[in-house]
Amino acid sequence: MVVVAVAGGSGDLGRLVVDALLKRGGHEVYVLSRKVPEEVNLRLSPITGRQYGSIIQTDYSSEEDLAKLFTEHNVHTVICTLGVDFESASDVQIRLIRAADKASSVKRFIPSEFNIDYDLGDDILPYPEKRFHQAARRELEKTSLEFTYIYVGMFMDYYGVPYIETHLRPLPGWFDEVNNTVTVSGDGNAYCVMSYTKDVARYTALALELDQWPKVLKIMASRLTENQLVGLIEKNLGRKLTVEYVSVEEMRNSRTSLLESGDPFAENFPGGAEQLSALMVDIGTSMALGAYDFESSEGLDLIAAFDGKTEPPLRIEQLIEKAWNGR
């Protein structure tokens, strides 16, 4: 039983991690937040037996202040779930790492990864924003903290939106339900690991129960190719889709012009449609080049480690059936 602080704990993935930690029990769980809501739920600490407010307010601007907050709340483990694909957010995570290292109570840190190996070369992972994750990795390597990188692959939620329960918003440009078309990266034969966000959160919470953390923890609910994924969707829809194959070279040439400037989802990105276009192309290119297939790479398989101790994860076949069967 430890005290856990989740940075970004009210965000898309962060709130799931917080919920999973509370459901698992045994931990005193705080959310680091810039704002405190008008009503803060009081929780009963399983450690002290006393009630506590679950929000720690911070503007993330000072390492010293963060370290003081960690120490005052006796935080043992920090989990960062902030989106760090731009510089200001990356700087926040760096300050969190340094503050955690300064705080005498903090022993463990999980950085905001929840994807794939960000140290892969540009020939496999041509994703410029990986530099922000690399910066956090290099910073963690300087500390005395125990840390681990969690690889989950693609969030399979995206392939069931809007017909499954998820906090994620749809990524445009893959499956056009209205026009019955789907866009596939490369030849569609590269394998990709996928996991459902709720399972990612659940296994992240379970990871805190491990006596030691290896450098990499892997959550691999499903592994399949895009062609196999299209086949699953067609099977459940009961009809064929028009498939457009886009080569790696074609994707790179359309990196900043994939979406119109008015796309509503682009409003969630500081760089607007241009940044979202680049992200979608980078994901598609990386999938085609094999970056999302880490089944044989080093790391502890969390699903196998907790087999029989928790319910099995949602598989992509189940998600596709829930989302698309009979539509």
Side-chain angles (χ1 to χ4, degrees):
M1 295 191 297
V2 297
V3 179
V4 185
V6 182
S10 58
D12 291 343
L13 179 62
R15 69 179 107 169
L16 294 178
V17 172
V18 170
D19 289 345
L21 287 165
L22 293 172
K23 185 175 181 179
R24 188 66 182 172
H27 304 300
E28 189 172 305
V29 184
Y30 292 93
V31 172
L32 296 175
S33 178
R34 296 180 187 275
K35 298 179 180 179
V36 176
E38 293 182 5
E39 295 184 10
V40 178
N41 293 329
L42 293 177
R43 297 176 181 145
L44 186 66
S45 170
I47 300 173
T48 66
R50 297 191 296 268
Q51 287 189 325
Y52 68 99
S54 58
I55 304 295
I56 299 177
Q57 186 174 21
T58 176
D59 62 6
Y60 297 106
S61 63
S62 167
E63 293 172 26
E64 288 71 23
D65 288 349
L66 284 166
K68 184 179 179 181
L69 287 171
F70 290 152
T71 302
E72 287 176 350
H73 291 84
N74 198 32
V75 172
H76 176 277
T77 301
V78 178
I79 303 174
C80 185
T81 62
L82 297 168
V84 293
D85 293 331
F86 48 97
E87 192 163 4
S88 60
S90 173
D91 291 343
V92 166
Q93 178 162 241
I94 296 295
R95 284 193 287 273
L96 283 168
I97 292 168
R98 292 173 178 169
D101 195 35
K102 289 179 181 179
S104 58
S105 62
V106 180
K107 307 301 179 186
R108 285 177 152 183
F109 196 105
I110 297 178
S112 181
E113 296 235 341
F114 306 103
N115 194 5
I116 55 177
D117 182 1
Y118 286 114
D119 279 330
L120 290 172
D122 291 343
D123 58 326
I124 299 176
L125 184 61
Y127 174 51
E129 284 75 15
K130 68 184 179 184
R131 68 187 186 276
F132 298 130
H133 299 276
Q134 291 172 342
R137 288 182 169 207
R138 304 295 85 82
E139 196 66 36
L140 277 167
E141 290 164 2
K142 300 176 188 176
T143 72
S144 60
L145 298 166
E146 184 180 18
F147 60 88
T148 190
Y149 308 133
I150 299 181
Y151 298 171
V152 306
M154 276 292 293
F155 289 139
M156 66 173 67
D157 309 43
Y158 288 123
Y159 300 107
V161 174
Y163 301 118
I164 58 152
E165 183 181 357
T166 182
H167 291 309
L168 299 187
R169 289 145 290 188
L171 277 180
W174 188 75
F175 176 34
D176 184 341
E177 184 184 3
V178 175
N179 294 306
N180 213 44
T181 61
V182 61
T183 304
V184 171
S185 310
D187 62 8
N189 289 325
Y191 277 87
C192 175
V193 171
M194 299 181 182
S195 303
Y196 184 42
T197 50
K198 283 193 173 183
D199 291 326
V200 169
R202 179 160 54 93
Y203 282 101
T204 298
L206 287 167
L208 271 61
E209 300 175 19
L210 295 173
D211 292 333
Q212 290 184 316
W213 282 346
K215 181 179 179 181
V216 174
L217 295 171
K218 301 190 294 185
I219 303 171
M220 302 179 292
S222 295
R223 176 179 176 268
L224 76 170
T225 69
E226 278 195 88
N227 285 331
Q228 291 171 334
L229 181 59
V230 171
L232 284 174
I233 295 175
E234 289 178 332
K235 176 183 176 182
N236 281 277
L237 287 173
R239 63 180 185 272
K240 284 289 186 180
L241 300 174
T242 300
V243 181
E244 178 186 2
Y245 290 92
V246 183
S247 71
V248 169
E249 188 62 31
E250 288 175 306
M251 283 188 283
R252 285 173 170 164
N253 290 337
S254 64
R255 191 169 187 273
T256 59
S257 59
L258 193 62
L259 299 175
E260 299 295 331
S261 59
D263 189 283
F265 189 65
E267 297 174 2
N268 298 303
F269 293 80
E274 184 173 331
Q275 183 184 3
L276 178 55
S277 291
L279 173 62
M280 291 169 58
V281 167
D282 290 339
I283 290 173
T285 304
S286 300
M287 287 178 67
L289 294 172
Y292 280 81
D293 185 17
F294 50 83
E295 182 183 49
S296 60
S297 66
E298 293 185 5
L300 176 66
D301 182 342
L302 280 174
I303 294 174
F306 287 95
D307 184 35
K309 300 175 184 178
T310 186
E311 64 185 77
L314 186 71
R315 307 293 180 180
I316 188 64
E317 294 84 357
Q318 296 168 300
L319 180 138
I320 295 300
E321 183 176 3
K322 284 184 177 181
W324 300 109
N325 188 261
R327 292 193 183 277

